[in-house]
């Protein structure tokens, strides 16, 4: 595991150099659904309405080839972004990209999945990877909109 983080940190440096030249035009957290163009309704779960958006320029992990990105709106504001990658070419690069932005994650193994978790003042992020299948799931949640229990 320690070796994974060393490799990931080296990859993070490379991703950082590339990211500084990119102009990210992703949908801002908390943005109103009315401000988003080319949006298609997918489904609803627990009051969150999920959509696919075809007119946005993905950045970071959202730009990975084969990534299926779904945007969730709660009360009409961007609350969550879910990313699923069926056959990730490089799990380490995905983790490194997130580490570059959010630091070292908490890590645990659960039911054949590796789980990585990050938390910032504004976001909760969870990445689950299954090395046997190269499958990755990422959930990002905007903390100011997380429903109070």
């Amino acid at each position: 595991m320690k070796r994974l983080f060393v490799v990931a940190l080296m990859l993070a440096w490379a991703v950082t150099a590339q990211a500084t030249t990119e102009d990210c035009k992703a949908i801002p957290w908390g943005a109103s659904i009315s401000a988003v163009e080319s949006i298609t309704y997918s489904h609803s779960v627990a009051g969150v309405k999920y959509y696919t958006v075809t007119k946005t320029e993905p950045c970071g992990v959202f730009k990975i080839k084969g990534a299926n990105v779904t945007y969730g709106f709660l009360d009409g504001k961007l609350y969550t972004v879910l990313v699923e990658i069926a056959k990730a070419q490089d799990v380490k690069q995905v983790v490194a990209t997130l580490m570059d932005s959010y630091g070292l994650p908490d890590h645990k193994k659960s039911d054949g999945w590796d789980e990585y978790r990050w938390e910032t003042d504004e976001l909760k992020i969870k990445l689950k990877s299954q090395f046997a299948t190269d499958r990755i799931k990422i959930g990002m949640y905007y903390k100011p909109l997380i429903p109070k229990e």
Side-chain angles (χ1 to χ4, degrees):
M1 181 46 67
K2 198 173 192 180
R3 186 175 179 187
L4 170 66
F5 286 126
V6 171
V7 171
L9 286 171
M10 290 175 10
L11 284 169
W13 177 82
V15 171
T16 303
Q18 179 183 2
T20 56
T21 62
E22 290 185 81
D23 183 21
C24 184
K25 293 184 177 127
I27 302 167
W29 291 107
S32 171
I33 193 168
S34 63
V36 181
E37 296 180 49
S38 302
I39 192 164
T40 305
Y41 177 77
S42 174
H43 64 285
S44 293
V45 176
V48 178
K49 293 181 179 179
Y50 292 94
Y51 298 84
T52 55
V53 179
T54 56
K55 192 173 182 179
T56 186
E57 294 182 33
C59 313
V61 294
F62 307 116
K63 200 171 191 172
I64 293 171
K65 186 177 180 178
N68 181 21
V69 182
T70 306
Y71 298 85
F73 290 81
L74 182 63
D75 297 327
K77 295 180 180 177
L78 182 60
Y79 160 64
T80 185
V81 177
L82 306 176
V83 180
E84 186 158 353
I85 306 167
K87 287 288 185 182
Q89 295 297 320
D90 192 346
V91 172
K92 293 173 190 162
Q93 183 178 359
V94 175
V95 173
T97 300
L98 288 166
M99 285 175 54
D100 180 49
S101 296
Y102 307 109
L104 292 175
D106 291 329
H107 175 261
K108 71 177 184 176
K109 288 189 179 270
S110 177
D111 298 326
W113 291 83
D114 276 292
E115 282 187 26
Y116 300 87
R117 293 177 184 257
W118 292 264
E119 190 164 343
T120 69
D121 290 341
E122 291 193 338
L123 295 176
K124 282 189 176 189
I125 302 146
K126 179 178 171 182
L127 178 145
K128 291 175 71 174
S129 68
Q130 194 175 49
F131 289 105
T133 63
D134 293 333
R135 191 169 165 211
I136 296 175
K137 296 179 182 183
I138 303 168
M140 303 178 87
Y141 304 89
Y142 185 51
K143 286 171 63 174
L145 295 180
I146 291 176
K148 308 292 185 238
E149 293 182 18

